[in-house]
Amino acid sequence: MRFPQSVFITGNMPFAQSELSRCLTAMTGAELRPEGYPFTVTAGHGRGEGYRVSVTGRHTDIQGESPRAAVYGVYALLERLGAQFLAEDCEILPSVTEWKPMSFSSRPDFAYRDLYWRGALNGRFALQCGLNSARAEISPEMGGKISFYRYSHTFEELVPPEKWFDAHPEYFSLVNGRRQREHSQLCLTNPDVLEICIEGVRRWMREHPECRIFSVAQNDWYGYCECQRCQAVDQREESHAGTMLTFVNAVADAVREEFPENRIHTFAYLYTRKAPRYLRPRENVIVRLCSIECCQSHPMAVCRQAIGGIDVENNAADGFALSGQAFTDDLADWAKIAPHLYLWDYTTNFSNYLQPFPNWHVMGENLRLFRRLGVEGVLEQGNYSPGKTSAFAPLRIYLLSRLLWNADADTDGLIRSFVRGYYGPEAEPGVLQCLSLMENAASQTHMGIYDMPDAAYLDEGLIEQADGCLADALSRTADPLRRERLERERPQPWEAMPDIGLYMDQIISYMPRQLIHYGESEALTSAMVNNYIKDGMLPRAEGKRYSRTHLAYLTAICALKQVLSVRDASLLIQAGTEGKD
């Protein structure tokens, strides 16, 4: 049927109505008039996220179980009409003249869907992706989000060593016979520590009524307490999760009466990953299992290889080895006992954000495993640095967000749709071939989140072949914006950099080609270049001109700044130029 020339949008969710109006008028040219074809957007008052959409010749009705669900329903209808929300910098609203009656409904596979990727934190785009990420910029007016308070490591905040250690070293973990001030955990069987944490959590809850989940979780390193009381609990439970869960349950019990709607969140991570033998989490406790050790090039359900010797602070680990207690064993054990089980999964290379991490089809396999075992919520951690760039980051964000809503979604279809819309139909064959080459290579070995550039799946011949595919895609692409997107994925090699002296303004305009994707306030400036020279990170200009060497240095500096402080990046570059390891 012909799309109406005028529409009238009513309802009780203003943001959803404004988005429907914005997109519909752009796609159809329809005018907004009181006598126009009626659209009604109705948001329920619950917390559910399911929606239902009905389109007839007389009326379109969009109903959501909650305000946020109504927004999801609006974007779902727009996608049925041909809209594509591919990335925060790519919204495609095609011209529409015809539509047809339809009725559909949907609800997500996971109640909590979080992409901890910088490119997924924009509030509007997060909602277009069907996310409710805790760190996304989704205001209450936009439907709100899952509200954590400190959803990560909190022991050091709850019991700060600088406040308590000198007078009470017994509050902190005993390791090799000594209480630890630095890189410590807490002594979880000390009753005073428990009371301090309970009061701290109560204070958080009173000061932050907008939040419903509060984190009581180990610090981001090892160092569990080895005192006799802690050892007795852990030995009985056959896991260091014994002391952790005993402690967290006690905090949850203490706050339940005053805050019956709130939940306590904790980790099953590193040394606490294994489920306890006898203990069970309280009903108001969320356990979040972390997959940091897992092979990322094969589905977790079939691969028992794991990295060891993890050094989180330095983004390093030992190689792979067969694990006697595989991650999936621990996942299944926690699934049997935890009333609310979440996952913290890892979806990029944390040693080298710009390094290929080709496991497109594995992500869906893992999410289907999580769903099958009853996992309620999943956080997919990626590159959250201000630079945003990772190898094919926009594709990964798009793919993960769709799979978090529906783990059965067609991965190949999603990839094709994204590549065609984001890079263009001319580039599609080359980009798809590049993705396939990289993923096939990774599937022949094990891939971890701290792999170095000399990993087996990144041999020079393969990289040249994959880059050739992107070069071919680029040669077929005329659109400037699509060319820029392709250029992000293939920095200029040394021999292709200009071998003539460039002035400062030419340097500034050249650098965005080097895979460094700046945010609006992060672009390289002449002042920054001058500061790098002053700090000894960059050689001085030759006269007023900058050479190929300067471009290589700036490429390294801009890449390192995404993961290191300027000081640490300077030390690393200096060590490299001096030939140090």
Side-chain angles (χ1 to χ4, degrees):
M1 57 187 182
R2 191 83 176 167
F3 197 88
Q5 293 181 340
S6 62
V7 297
F8 186 54
I9 300 172
T10 60
N12 64 349
M13 180 31 175
F15 177 76
Q17 294 163 232
S18 68
E19 282 295 277
L20 182 60
S21 172
R22 177 181 71 85
C23 295
L24 274 185
T25 54
M27 295 168 70
T28 69
E31 297 181 1
L32 300 175
R33 292 182 177 177
E35 68 274 15
Y37 174 92
F39 286 79
T40 304
V41 181
T42 306
H45 301 291
R47 295 181 183 174
E49 295 186 303
Y51 60 79
R52 180 178 298 277
V53 177
S54 174
V55 176
T56 70
R58 300 174 60 86
H59 181 256
T60 290
D61 186 35
I62 304 170
Q63 297 182 10
E65 295 175 340
S66 62
R68 189 167 59 245
V71 179
Y72 296 147
V74 163
Y75 289 133
L77 173 60
L78 291 168
E79 288 184 323
R80 293 287 181 109
L81 295 178
Q84 290 181 283
F85 307 109
L86 300 179
E88 61 175 331
D89 66 345
C90 186
E91 179 182 86
I92 299 174
L93 302 176
S95 176
V96 174
T97 57
E98 300 285 335
W99 66 333
K100 60 184 179 181
M102 65 183 91
S103 179
F104 61 93
S105 61
S106 185
R107 65 177 58 253
D109 284 346
F110 301 99
Y112 163 60
R113 305 169 305 285
D114 199 331
L115 284 191
Y116 193 11
W117 281 80
R118 182 71 60 170
L121 300 186
N122 174 277
R124 174 181 280 113
F125 180 57
L127 291 169
Q128 290 170 344
C129 289
L131 301 173
N132 53 21
S133 305
R135 296 198 180 188
E137 299 159 351
I138 306 174
S139 67
E141 293 74 22
M142 298 169 75
K145 58 188 178 181
I146 301 296
S147 297
F148 278 79
Y149 185 78
R150 299 290 192 269
Y151 73 9
S152 190
H153 312 278
T154 58
F155 276 2
E156 201 159 50
E157 182 176 356
L158 284 164
V159 188
E162 61 272 18
K163 177 179 179 180
W164 294 103
F165 187 85
D166 289 343
H168 295 283
E170 72 276 11
Y171 289 179
F172 300 89
S173 54
L174 183 74
V175 180
N176 295 326
R178 296 184 62 181
R179 295 288 175 178
Q180 304 295 303
R181 183 189 187 107
E182 303 294 332
H183 288 81
S184 179
Q185 303 290 349
L186 299 179
C187 178
L188 296 176
T189 55
N190 186 302
D192 293 339
V193 171
L194 177 61
E195 287 306 311
I196 292 169
C197 287
I198 288 172
E199 287 309 306
V201 172
R202 282 191 179 126
R203 183 178 65 255
W204 286 349
M205 291 182 174
R206 290 164 184 162
E207 293 174 353
H208 297 277
E210 75 280 4
C211 296
R212 286 290 176 265
I213 305 173
F214 295 79
S215 190
V216 178
Q218 67 204 67
N219 295 323
D220 199 7
W221 45 72
Y222 290 88
Y224 52 83
C225 187
E226 299 171 354
C227 77
Q228 289 186 350
R229 288 180 300 183
C230 287
Q231 279 189 332
V233 175
D234 289 344
Q235 287 171 2
R236 184 190 70 228
E237 296 294 334
E238 301 176 6
S239 168
H240 295 297
T243 44
M244 183 66 65
L245 191 55
T246 299
F247 187 86
V248 168
N249 277 347
V251 174
D253 288 343
V255 301
R256 181 189 294 113
E257 183 175 355
E258 185 177 354
F259 302 98
E261 297 296 313
N262 290 354
R263 290 177 179 171
I264 301 297
H265 160 273
T266 196
F267 284 130
Y269 174 56
L270 296 177
Y271 63 89
T272 58
R273 199 188 80 180
K274 182 182 177 183
R277 182 171 182 179
Y278 302 109
L279 280 168
R280 301 293 181 265
R282 296 289 194 266
E283 179 59 35
N284 59 334
V285 167
I286 295 169
V287 175
R288 194 197 296 260
L289 186 61
C290 304
S291 64
I292 193 168
E293 303 91 349
C294 291
C295 169
Q296 297 291 335
S297 56
H298 305 115
M300 295 176 186
V302 300
C303 185
R304 298 180 69 89
Q305 293 279 331
I307 55 175
I310 294 173
D311 182 351
V312 177
E313 291 181 284
N314 292 305
N315 291 329
D318 296 336
F320 279 94
L322 189 64
S323 174
Q325 178 77 10
F327 176 81
T328 48
D329 298 332
D330 292 332
L331 174 57
D333 289 344
W334 279 110
K336 294 173 186 174
I337 66 172
H340 307 290
L341 182 60
Y342 283 12
L343 255 291
W344 188 300
D345 197 19
Y346 303 82
T347 59
T348 194
N349 185 303
F350 289 87
S351 292
N352 303 282
Y353 279 147
L354 308 184
Q355 184 168 309
F357 199 72
N359 65 341
W360 315 108
H361 292 80
V362 169
M363 297 186 297
E365 293 276 2
N366 290 340
L367 286 167
R368 287 188 284 276
L369 170 68
F370 301 161
R371 182 187 61 187
R372 186 166 68 250
L373 290 175
V375 171
E376 290 184 6
V378 180
L379 179 145
E380 302 283 13
Q381 184 179 359
N383 179 8
Y384 48 84
S385 71
K388 301 182 185 178
T389 302
S390 280
F392 290 100
L395 169 60
R396 190 174 297 274
I397 290 169
Y398 177 82
L399 189 56
L400 280 170
S401 65
R402 271 57 184 179
L403 291 167
L404 282 169
W405 186 279
N406 174 17
D408 292 321
D410 176 16
T411 296
D412 288 319
L414 289 171
I415 292 174
R416 286 193 301 270
S417 178
F418 178 89
V419 170
R420 189 178 306 120
Y422 194 71
Y423 299 109
E426 300 85 358
E428 182 181 355
V431 174
L432 292 179
Q433 180 66 10
C434 172
L435 297 175
S436 178
L437 283 169
M438 300 297 294
E439 187 169 33
N440 287 339
S443 70
Q444 305 304 310
T445 185
H446 299 290
M447 183 174 71
I449 67 171
Y450 299 127
D451 287 351
M452 291 291 105
D454 61 355
Y457 54 91
L458 295 175
D459 70 85
E460 188 173 340
L462 173 71
I463 295 298
E464 289 182 0
Q465 193 176 357
D467 186 62
C469 294
L470 292 181
D472 180 70
L474 190 59
S475 71
R476 299 172 185 273
T477 301
D479 180 79
L481 181 57
R482 287 171 169 171
R483 287 184 62 84
E484 179 184 334
R485 292 168 182 164
L486 287 166
E487 286 169 346
R488 289 181 203 163
E489 303 300 338
R490 55 184 309 262
Q492 291 293 310
W494 171 262
E495 59 273 10
M497 290 182 182
D499 196 19
I500 58 174
L502 301 178
Y503 290 106
M504 178 68 81
D505 59 337
Q506 294 171 312
I507 284 283
I508 299 303
S509 64
Y510 181 87
M511 282 306 298
R513 307 179 192 182
Q514 286 298 88
L515 193 61
I516 312 302
H517 179 47
Y518 299 108
E520 291 181 1
S521 62
E522 300 154 359
L524 186 69
T525 65
S526 58
M528 293 165 66
V529 173
N530 289 330
N531 284 334
Y532 297 149
I533 294 173
K534 181 180 178 181
D535 294 340
M537 297 176 72
L538 181 68
R540 291 191 175 277
E542 300 163 3
K544 292 186 177 182
R545 291 178 180 268
Y546 296 83
S547 68
R548 178 187 292 180
T549 300
H550 292 93
L551 291 173
Y553 268 97
L554 285 169
T555 299
I557 291 167
C558 293
L560 290 171
K561 275 184 62 181
Q562 297 190 59
V563 292
L564 298 175
S565 67
V566 172
R567 178 181 176 277
D568 288 345
S570 177
L571 290 173
L572 185 59
I573 290 172
Q574 188 176 27
T577 57
E578 294 173 357
K580 298 178 181 178
D581 292 333

